[in-house]
Structure formats: structure tokens, C-alpha cells
Amino acid sequence: MPHHWDRREDTRLKLAHFRRHKRKVVKKVPGKSVTYPYHKPEENHPPGKDTTKRISNVIGKAVNYAKSAKPKKPLPYIPTITNYTKLWWVPNVVVAHEKEGIEAVHIATGRTVCKLHLLEGGLHADINGDGVLDHVQVVGANGAEQTVVSGSMEVLRPCWAVATSGVPVREQLFNASICRHSPFNLFQHGEFSRGFGHTFDATSLEVATPILIPRNDGHRHRKGSHGDVIFLTNRGEVTSYSPGLHGHGALWNWQILTGATWSNLPSPAGMMEAGTVVPTLKAFPLRVHDSQELILAAGDQEAVVLSPGGSLLTTIDLPAPPTHALVSEDFSNDGLTDLIFVTSSGVYGFVQTRQPGALFFSTLVGCLIIVMGVLFVSQYLNSTKGKPRATYGQW
């Protein structure tokens, strides 16, 4: 999680570790322990042995030394995934994100461990952190007539997002506007919006699949759950909502107008042209193993990087309209995330580079602060030594 599938490029495979839940309590036998090759061996304290007596300790050490002289069989090799400091977990399944949903396949046997059927389109994630899978749906003008909110008979309207909870759907969490914001989401749709300062052409509206940006609220949540939901329209509007109180409703965080715009004009025959622009809205870290994620939004001519708080960090001019979603990977092997653009004219790679000038300036400022501190302390000590001390005589 999160899961979304809109086109074949969204199909992906991930390694994971599944554990079988214990359904009954096993009575432990004193002195008996199970040791795995990737676990730390437990200490064995046989019953009836008094560890406080020296004679028994000497005899026990001699027995252990005699046992250690026997040749030991090498432990079988187990492939592990580490975080460069300690043993992390052993992958035993491959999780496939497909059009039909999510499927976990056992690596050793190839059998399907479990499979979850999910509706195509939208974002599937636990957005409010209650442990129940949610579904966020949003459509443009080309899909509003035939798209129905999952679990209800309500038809999705352009410029509106609907979030439901549960598989199958149990309840509706919120519905909110993703277009130009007004207080309390009033006058955002239909005839009312035309009379309050702006015109809204719903026929040309296109949207990208929403994403989830994890947010720390002081509580412990599962990885990839509980955060802000980010939306993007073809007019460059990036909107952020967070779950409301007790996981119901939505709180509007911010909205920013960017240059990540695009337009897919229909052909006279009613079909889309061959060079369809594929927008990008995804979360990515600046560094490979960084837990803090930023927002990447791209249109047909420009891509922007936003902070989770809605601040514009940088803009990137695209060489050509992208025909696939942008790929964020470290292909230069320097620990920094790079970007790959796939267009009809070629494949372009943008490398993230460090700025040595900023590091040099920071080091110089730090050295100046240290020198000023040393001078201040030395002058203070010299001034106290130079002052004559008052002598008190006898009266």
C-alpha cells in the first residue's frame, strides 16, 4: 500500500515478508528453545543446574569446550535485505500490484498466498490510519458520466473527490472539491460557480490519480498509511486534504497554482490523439533512503517539486510532452534521486547534483563563529587578569 492502477506502467512487483499470525498459545518447555540462523541464539539454562556454584560452572565450561571441538555444519545461506546496519527481514513473497488488485505470491513455491480484488482507478490506501483500506476517487469530464462512486449509486461529478472506507464499501468518509477553493466548499460546481467570480469549463477538466503523503501526528501508524491526500488538475491546481476528526470528513490544507498543466484535445472522430500527454503526480524522496517525501507534479511543459506543506521548491522545464509517467530512481548511483522522462522523441534523464558552494559557505560561517567565540573568551580572560585587585588593610 498505497495501490493505484491506471495504465500498464503502474504494474509493479515488490519484495515483502509475510508472517503467519499465531492463533494459539504454545506452552514453553524449560530449557528448550528454537534457534533460527538469522536470529540471535538464546541462552540455555537447564533445569536443576545451580549457576552460583563454582564447581558446576567449571564442569559446564569444560563440557561446552569439548562440544565446540566437534566440526559444525555450515548454516544454510538465506538471502536477506538489510538497511546497512543490522539484519532487517527475510523476503518470502512477491507482492504484485495489478489491474485487478494486489496479489502476494510465495517465492519458494510460486503459489498465491492471498489476493485482494480492488476497483480500477483512484487511490487505495488507509488515509485515516484506522487499519481499514480506503478508496479515493476523482474523475475528469471525460469519465464523469459513466463513473459511479463505489458502494453507492452516486455519480462522480467533475472537480469533486469522494473517499469511501472498506472493501467492500462500508461508509463514505468525505467528498470535497479539488478545484479553486472557497470556504466551506460552497459554490464549486454547477451554475452557482459561474456567478461568483470565475467561470468553470467542466468539459476540458482532466485529473491525475491522487497520492498519499504520510504525515506525522504523534501517533504510530503503519507504513504508507495516515497522511494528506494530494490532487492535481490539468489547470495546474495542486490541492491537499487531510482526514478530519476521528477519520471522518476532510480538512482543507492548502492549494497552489503551478505550471504543471496539460491538455489532451480530442480528435474530430471523438478519439484521443496518438501523442497523449500523461501527467505525473507522485511522492518521492530527495535521497534514496530518506523517509521524508516530496511531491512531484508534471504536465506537458513543466514539472514542479513541492513540499508537503505546499511550498514550491523548484521547477523543471520539460524538453517534450511526456508520454509516460516520470520515473524517479537513482540511476547515477550517488545516493540522490534522479528523474527519467519518456517522450515521443526520446528518453531524457535529469541528474540531481549537490551544490558544493553551499557547503563551503556553511563551513566558512561556522569557522568564523568559532574564531569570534575564541577571541571573545580570550579578551574576557585578559581583562580580568589586568584589573588590580583591591587590598584590605587593618584599621
Side-chain angles (χ1 to χ4, degrees):
M1 291 301 171
H3 168 81
H4 71 90
W5 199 98
D6 294 312
R7 51 187 64 89
R8 63 179 184 179
E9 290 81 10
D10 296 330
T11 303
R12 53 195 174 97
L13 302 176
K14 293 183 64 177
L15 291 175
H17 177 77
F18 278 23
R19 291 181 297 178
R20 186 185 298 273
H21 294 281
K22 296 181 180 179
R23 300 186 180 275
K24 61 179 181 179
V25 179
V26 180
K27 186 177 180 180
K28 294 184 179 180
V29 179
K32 184 178 180 181
S33 62
V34 180
T35 304
Y36 296 97
Y38 48 87
H39 286 166
K40 183 179 179 180
E42 300 177 358
E43 295 182 359
N44 186 14
H45 298 284
K49 180 181 178 181
D50 189 2
T51 57
T52 59
K53 295 183 179 181
R54 295 183 179 179
I55 299 177
S56 60
N57 291 336
V58 172
I59 296 175
K61 290 181 180 179
V63 173
N64 293 334
Y65 181 77
K67 289 181 179 179
S68 63
K70 298 179 181 179
K72 295 183 179 180
K73 295 182 180 180
L75 296 176
Y77 172 75
I78 298 179
T80 58
I81 295 179
T82 64
N83 58 356
Y84 301 101
T85 56
K86 60 182 180 180
L87 199 61
W88 196 4
W89 46 267
V90 180
N92 54 8
V93 297
V94 176
V95 180
H97 293 260
E98 305 169 325
K99 179 180 180 180
E100 296 79 10
I102 302 176
E103 182 178 1
V105 180
H106 192 233
I107 295 179
T109 61
R111 63 180 179 87
T112 299
V113 178
C114 61
K115 189 172 184 179
L116 179 62
H117 292 275
L118 299 174
L119 295 177
E120 182 182 351
L123 171 68
H124 295 273
D126 181 15
I127 62 176
N128 53 7
D130 60 351
V132 180
L133 189 62
D134 306 319
H135 186 200
V136 183
Q137 295 175 275
V138 58
V139 296
N142 56 350
E145 292 80 6
Q146 64 270 19
T147 304
V148 180
V149 179
S150 57
S152 67
M153 298 303 295
E154 182 181 356
V155 178
L156 278 176
R157 298 177 296 173
C159 226
W160 282 83
V162 178
T164 55
S165 178
V167 180
V169 176
R170 299 178 183 177
E171 58 180 343
Q172 181 173 313
L173 296 180
F174 67 84
N175 57 346
S177 172
I178 62 172
C179 294
R180 195 171 303 176
H181 181 74
S182 66
F184 307 106
N185 286 332
L186 295 178
F187 312 119
Q188 288 287 325
H189 181 75
E191 298 295 334
F192 295 100
S193 63
R194 296 184 177 89
F196 281 83
H198 71 279
T199 59
F200 171 62
D201 185 13
T203 59
S204 61
L205 179 68
E206 297 182 46
V207 294
T209 303
I211 61 173
L212 180 70
I213 296 292
R215 179 168 52 89
N216 186 11
D217 61 346
H219 300 280
R220 187 176 181 180
H221 300 281
R222 291 180 178 270
K223 184 179 180 181
S225 66
H226 189 272
D228 300 334
V229 185
I230 311 298
F231 302 91
L232 172 66
T233 67
N234 64 333
R235 295 178 294 185
E237 297 168 335
V238 183
T239 311
S240 171
Y241 281 96
S242 60
L245 186 63
H246 304 297
H248 291 77
L251 301 177
W252 182 85
N253 296 325
W254 50 265
Q255 186 179 74
I256 183 174
L257 187 62
T258 66
T261 60
W262 75 94
S263 177
N264 288 316
L265 298 177
S267 62
M271 302 296 292
M272 302 301 291
E273 295 181 356
T276 303
V277 179
V278 177
T280 299
L281 180 62
K282 64 186 304 182
F284 80 107
L286 288 179
R287 298 173 182 84
V288 176
H289 299 287
D290 194 0
S291 59
Q292 181 65 39
E293 292 183 329
L294 303 178
I295 304 169
L296 175 64
D300 56 357
Q301 296 181 355
E302 184 177 314
V304 296
V305 178
L306 306 175
S307 68
S311 302
L312 180 62
L313 301 180
T314 186
T315 59
I316 304 172
D317 294 330
L318 304 184
T323 57
H324 295 74
L326 274 62
V327 180
S328 56
E329 292 292 341
D330 179 24
F331 60 82
S332 59
N333 199 24
D334 59 353
L336 301 178
T337 306
D338 308 316
L339 299 178
I340 301 176
F341 298 85
V342 180
T343 66
S344 58
S345 59
V347 180
Y348 301 86
F350 285 75
V351 180
Q352 183 184 172
T353 58
R354 292 184 175 90
Q355 296 293 337
L359 180 61
F360 175 76
F361 180 76
S362 302
T363 306
L364 182 61
V365 171
C367 294
L368 290 177
I369 293 175
I370 294 175
V371 171
M372 292 175 62
V374 172
L375 292 176
F376 177 78
V377 172
S378 61
Q379 288 182 0
Y380 176 77
L381 295 177
N382 292 333
S383 62
T384 54
K385 290 180 179 179
K387 289 183 179 180
R389 296 183 178 180
T391 58
Y392 299 94
Q394 296 182 357
W395 296 89

